[in-house]
Amino acid sequence: MADPATYRPATGTIPTSPGVYRFRDDDGRVIYVGKAKNLRQRLTNYFQDLAVLHERTRRMVTTASSVEWTVVGTEVEALTLEYTWIKEFDPRFNVKFRDDKSYPYLVVTMGEEVPRVHITRRTPRKGDRVFGPYTQVWAIRETLDLMLRVFSIRSCSAGVYRRAERAGRPCLLGFIGKCAAPCVGEISVQEHRKLAEQFCDFMAGNTSTYTRRIEKQMREAAAGMDYEAAAALRDDLIALDKVMEKNSVVLSDATDADLVGMVQDELEASVQVFHVRGGRIRGQRGWIAEILDDSGPADLMERALTTLYAEGTAPKEVLVTTEPANRDQVQALLGSRTDVRVPRRGEKKDLLATVTANADEALRLHRLRRTGDLTARTKALEDLGQALDLAEPPLRIECFDISHSQGTNVVGSMVVFEDGLPRKSEYRRFSVSGAAARDDTASMHDVLTRRLKHHLDPPKPESEEEKRRFAYPPSLILVDGGPPQVAAAQRVMDELGITDIALAGIAKRLEEIWLPGDDYPVILPRTSEALFLVQRLRDEAHRFAISYHRSKRGRAMQTSALDGIPGLGPARRRALLDRFVTVKAIREAEVEQLQEVDGIGPALAAQISSALRSEGAEDVAVDMATGEIIGG
């Protein structure tokens, strides 16, 4: 545990400007990011007597070993930079609303000459009409499929549209009646635009105009005994009714609003968001965040709104259960056209209560799941630490595996688990060649040497991302294998003088744990959470190594002896294989026979014959069109 006094900056050196600060640990890892209107005032608060600090703040400052800051021009810039750094560094002591999804929208490209309706997760362009977001892409696909029965506007890509124009024949959607086919003139561009406007009008909530019109047309067709047309109109009406059922009105004034409900306890906070467009709920999303500092409801609401709108557009209203901290900064981030407020009465207050109830239920279910998961992970790490006689549970474990095919295409993998969970951004893979590829122990020695040299003497980083590569030492290194692999790994640690990292190996046959220099393995109980964790690590390392090995082997198999011949490009190689089928037949052919192939002259034919008849040429080729291996 570090003493904050050892890295406390002199008060006079800290600026009084707005800014963003970062606390780092001994390994240079960013563990906390914060913002302040006055950096000096905020940072000095962290260096008070430890007894008066919040328990989580005390843990943070005693884990850190340095602090740095960046001055910005305004408080809004500080808010934005804080969000960016939290997203980039993933600091362990920050409150993080984890939502790595991009939600789908229904977009009508009214800015184009021939508007197109499509589903996208990208930021819409200027002039587009946007509906959503939706939480399930299948739900909006089903809605769009129903809508195209009635409003048969274009939904194809630009390439498909141009091909249909050139061919003078509509695509499949045009044949089955789900596109009015403006590409071939079955409807004019002006009429198609009007149809697109009607589509947008219906999706925006003006539904009664169209349902009454279709119902009237259906009755007229039935009265005129045109029963086939009446049946088609009836099906259109049923489709629209289904769409309206999916988008029931919840706010009578056709409001565009996001309702943000939040509940919290001492350890965690739950946020739920309902996206209401045109008075209808178009989507729902939610997060659970672990509270690792002394953030209150207002601070958490500020963080939630920043997460929601730092990279997106806010609607006209954002209704919240609690006013966010630094309201003026949040308002500037959302824009002047957005009204952020707590509803006090009426249907908006009632709907927000429903959103908050959803947040409360999500937190309750998360507690039940987390209790089991967290307890199991904690027990697994504690049991593993005790079994391997470690001073403390191994919070970061790196597992290494080697994969090859009969000694060829040798690769190594490194997977990382932190706090019992995979940290996939830290995974690494190694290509092994030369003497290091002669057997598994040599390969393991090579891979571990390369990994641990990065730890002992990291190259000068050109970016923060590069700085983080291999930067953090593991508490435990696991190797896939028994005593030989463990001995190879121990030799690396002895050669490099590393004594502060524990080492073990897991043998596949009996799931034994081998420690360096021990004659007998450690046997973990079959029902042990520690054994389950070690097996997960070993299997994940094996999976990662196999996937890289297959990729490397696949690339190697797409080569032949023809590839290295100067002047022989893909077209000529293809022509030779079409004529002679195999490399063996090409090798045995006379120079005059090679010249019979289009594009092969006397000089190139002689060069091909000489190269293939030289020692070491392979009798294998690959059909580059099909991927089929062609033997001799």
Side-chain angles (χ1 to χ4, degrees), residues 194-205:
K194 185 177 179 181
L195 196 62
E197 289 170 351
Q198 292 173 353
F199 178 98
C200 295
D201 196 27
F202 185 92
M203 289 298 295

Side-chain angles (χ1 to χ4, degrees), residues 205-216:
N206 186 13
T207 58
S208 57
T209 301
Y210 300 100
T211 54
R212 283 198 304 266
R213 185 185 71 188
I214 293 174
E215 188 173 357
K216 180 182 177 182

Side-chain angles (χ1 to χ4, degrees), residues 106-120 123-131 153-158 192-193 196-197 199-200:
L106 184 66
V107 175
V108 184
T109 58
M110 298 302 292
E112 297 183 8
E113 182 183 9
V114 183
R116 171 197 176 204
V117 59
H118 65 112
I119 299 165
T120 183
T123 303
R125 295 178 297 181
K126 186 177 180 180
D128 291 351
R129 290 291 302 276
V130 181
F131 305 95
I153 64 175
R154 170 194 163 210
S155 60
C156 62
S157 66
H192 182 269
R193 176 168 288 277
E197 289 170 351
F199 178 98
C200 295

Side-chain angles (χ1 to χ4, degrees), residues 317-562:
E317 288 186 78
V318 176
L319 307 177
V320 296
T321 51
T322 304
E323 286 277 356
N326 305 302
R327 192 186 189 289
D328 292 341
Q329 299 173 30
V330 174
Q331 184 68 65
L333 178 69
L334 272 58
S336 58
R337 298 179 61 186
T338 298
D339 182 22
V340 182
R341 62 189 178 87
V342 179
R344 302 299 180 187
R345 64 181 67 84
E347 58 185 5
K348 293 179 181 178
K349 179 184 177 183
D350 294 340
L351 182 58
L352 186 58
T354 302
V355 179
T356 307
N358 275 265
D360 190 46
E361 178 65 11
L363 183 58
R364 186 186 69 82
L365 293 175
H366 175 76
R367 282 197 203 104
L368 293 176
R369 289 193 297 267
R370 181 181 170 82
T371 299
D373 293 346
L374 184 60
T375 301
R377 294 203 313 271
T378 302
K379 181 172 175 50
L381 293 171
E382 289 176 350
D383 289 352
L384 185 59
Q386 291 175 2
L388 302 183
D389 198 23
L390 305 180
E392 57 185 21
L395 297 182
R396 179 181 169 110
I397 306 174
E398 295 178 1
C399 187
F400 294 82
D401 188 23
I402 303 296
S403 181
H404 58 82
S405 293
Q406 298 180 344
T408 63
N409 300 309
V410 183
V411 300
S413 70
M414 177 186 106
V415 301
V416 180
F417 275 41
E418 287 188 352
D419 296 328
L421 295 173
R423 182 87 168 182
K424 294 194 175 183
S425 62
E426 302 287 320
Y427 286 14
R428 298 291 179 262
R429 57 190 192 181
F430 305 82
S431 181
V432 183
S433 58
R438 67 178 183 272
D439 57 43
D440 279 2
T441 56
S443 299
M444 186 66 74
H445 185 280
D446 177 67
V447 167
L448 277 171
T449 299
R450 288 154 64 184
R451 187 270 175 265
L452 292 174
K453 277 185 176 179
H454 271 278
H455 164 54
L456 291 176
D457 186 23
K460 186 177 180 180
E462 296 181 0
S463 65
E464 189 66 35
E465 176 62 32
E466 193 174 330
K467 183 177 181 179
R468 285 181 283 172
R469 288 173 61 85
F470 299 122
Y472 312 131
S475 307
L476 170 66
I477 286 179
L478 276 177
V479 296
D480 183 24
Q485 285 78 15
V486 175
Q490 185 60 54
R491 281 200 309 276
V492 175
M493 299 176 82
D494 292 340
E495 290 165 4
L496 299 177
I498 295 174
T499 59
D500 58 345
I501 299 176
L503 172 66
I506 177 169
K508 289 186 179 72
R509 190 168 65 89
L510 298 174
E511 309 289 9
E512 303 161 336
I513 307 297
W514 288 91
L515 298 177
D518 285 5
D519 295 329
Y520 300 98
V522 175
I523 305 296
L524 296 174
R526 289 298 169 192
T527 58
S528 165
E529 290 289 346
L531 179 60
F532 176 65
L533 174 62
V534 169
Q535 288 171 330
R536 280 188 66 203
L537 274 153
R538 190 268 317 280
D539 294 345
E540 181 70 351
H542 187 62
R543 178 200 65 78
F544 195 52
I546 285 290
S547 64
Y548 181 39
H549 167 70
R550 286 174 177 165
S551 170
K552 188 175 180 182
R553 185 182 62 191
R555 290 194 299 272
M557 290 175 65
Q558 292 175 3
T559 62
S560 76
L562 299 176

Side-chain angles (χ1 to χ4, degrees), residues 2 25 36 38 43 152 170 179 190 199 209 213 254 281-282 348 354-355 387 424 476 483 545 568 574 619:
D25 63 10
N38 183 319
L43 286 176
S152 50
C179 179
Q190 294 77 18
F199 178 98
T209 301
R213 185 185 71 188
I281 297 176
R282 301 295 188 184
K348 293 179 181 178
T354 302
V355 179
K424 294 194 175 183
L476 170 66
L568 191 61
R574 176 72 268 172
D619 286 341

